[in-house]
Amino acid sequence: MPAFDLPLPELERHRPEPAEPADFDAFWSDTLKEAEQRDVLVSAHPVDTGLRLTRTWDVTFRGFAGDPVRAWFSLPSDAREPLPAVVEYAGYGRGRGLPHERLTWVNAGYAHLLMDNRGQGDQYGNGGDTPDPHAGAPGGPGPAVRGLLAARDYHYRRLMTDAVRAVAAVRALPGVDPARTVAVGNSQGGALALAVAGLVPDLAAVLVTAPLLCGVRRALDLTDAGPYGEIAAYLSVHRGAAEAAYRTLSYVEGVSFARRAHAPAHFGTGLRDTVCPPSGVYAAFNRYGELTGGPDPQNEIHPYPFNGHEGGEAEQVRRQLGWLAERLAD
């Protein structure tokens, strides 16, 4: 796929004003207040993974509406003091999979919590274990269109609430330094990490690559790939529903969360990415922290001119590891 979005010099200046609803902050404050009425941890049971250098627990915590959400929690087996914690969010259609699948962060010496995606896990990877009992509102079968016609019913309201509660859950687990909690994710996981950055004011850092749900209206005009294609397909049948859908999507717009973020941020994007177009990623990066004191000079974004949704892959992870180690050493 050739480059199809704005040229890099224009991306570096791309700062569109998000179409925020007037009650954006109240919507999320009320949503989280309801979720916070319950203790977050339900259980944490050790599991035998066959790995000698990693200890892993099967964790259940309370997410949206107190629903049980599953996660894998891992520590280096030789950990002797509270560690910084990386909360990782999985991509679209994935679940938490198997506990030995994602070992980068624990091998780098961090406590690691991998959150399951409610109602997902059937498209990629090795499955999930968290149902979504609130998925009955009008909308299509895919997560991107479940409950699309009303913000209170939308799948991402529930999933983003789960993501915020995952931070509270990891901070309640043994072996974790709560003051050094980091949100990490790619694609849909990047959207969740960015939402957490805007909703949790005391994160130590956030690392996002190719985040979904950034510059949503422009993305819907640019591409039919991935989740945006599911939304377009739904609206091609429900021809009078576009304005209701746009209003719902405005409550989960990543640029709006980025504007409210405090933590230092590391971004990455492939400039040929048709799944999560780079203009949305740059819009979030260029407005990151503008409502909370302005951009942090530690923030970085790395473009990959000849890559699509895979972005920088292992090269991006290498950069993330180095950047995060420097931030947490300060």
Side-chain angles (χ1 to χ4, degrees):
M1 175 70 194
F4 76 105
D5 207 338
L6 300 172
L8 183 57
E10 292 183 34
L11 289 172
E12 292 173 339
R13 301 188 300 268
H14 187 57
R15 293 174 53 86
E17 191 75 31
E20 290 185 6
D23 63 340
F24 181 92
D25 292 309
F27 175 87
W28 281 108
S29 176
D30 291 347
T31 295
L32 296 179
K33 189 180 301 181
E34 181 181 340
E36 291 164 357
Q37 292 176 358
R38 305 165 179 87
D39 292 338
V40 66
L41 272 182
V42 176
S43 63
H45 302 296
V47 295
D48 182 2
T49 64
L51 302 175
R52 291 183 293 173
L53 303 182
T54 301
R55 292 180 291 155
T56 299
W57 289 259
D58 186 349
V59 169
T60 302
F61 67 90
R62 293 183 178 90
F64 176 86
D67 298 336
V69 179
R70 305 287 291 277
W72 298 122
F73 175 65
S74 297
L75 290 171
S77 59
D78 61 353
R80 297 291 181 266
E81 59 186 29
L83 298 176
V86 168
V87 181
E88 185 175 5
Y89 304 105
Y92 190 76
R94 288 185 180 272
R96 65 173 182 166
L98 299 173
H100 59 270
E101 284 187 69
R102 301 192 183 213
L103 300 175
T104 295
W105 295 106
V106 69
N107 277 329
Y110 300 101
H112 178 238
L113 185 87
L114 176 63
M115 186 187 86
D116 204 11
N117 288 325
R118 66 164 63 219
Q120 298 189 33
D122 297 323
Q123 296 182 32
Y124 306 99
N126 288 288
D129 301 293
T130 303
D132 184 2
H134 309 279
V145 287
R146 291 177 192 160
L148 180 62
L149 301 187
R152 291 189 60 82
D153 296 333
Y154 194 35
H155 176 77
Y156 281 107
R157 177 182 179 232
R158 301 188 291 277
L159 195 59
M160 288 174 174
T161 302
D162 294 347
V164 170
R165 296 295 281 162
V167 171
V170 82
R171 286 173 164 172
L173 288 165
V176 167
D177 178 356
R180 294 184 293 168
T181 306
V182 179
V184 173
N186 301 337
S187 194
Q188 176 185 264
L192 298 180
L194 203 52
V196 169
L199 296 170
V200 179
D202 59 348
L203 288 178
V206 59
L207 300 98
V208 299
T209 305
L212 185 67
L213 297 174
C214 291
V216 174
R217 290 191 70 148
R218 176 176 168 83
L220 284 167
D221 288 339
L222 285 177
T223 183
D224 282 331
Y228 294 121
E230 293 181 25
I231 295 171
Y234 179 82
L235 295 177
S236 75
V237 175
H238 301 275
R239 295 174 179 82
E243 286 310 311
Y246 285 143
R247 178 164 176 79
T248 293
L249 291 164
S250 70
Y251 286 95
V252 298
E253 168 61 61
V255 178
S256 295
F257 290 122
R259 299 178 72 214
R260 291 160 170 79
H262 294 78
H266 188 283
F267 280 65
T269 181
L271 300 190
R272 299 173 185 238
D273 187 349
T274 60
V275 177
C276 297
S279 55
V281 183
Y282 270 91
F285 179 78
N286 291 337
R287 288 195 170 274
Y288 190 91
E290 69 179 5
L291 299 181
T292 58
D296 190 314
Q298 300 178 96
N299 294 351
E300 293 183 7
I301 186 167
H302 295 278
Y304 298 93
F306 297 98
N307 290 99
H309 195 52
E310 77 282 3
E313 297 184 303
E315 172 64 17
Q316 176 70 356
V317 174
R318 184 187 66 80
R319 286 173 163 165
Q320 290 178 328
L321 288 166
W323 182 89
L324 184 59
E326 289 182 9
R327 300 292 81 72
L328 297 182
D330 292 345

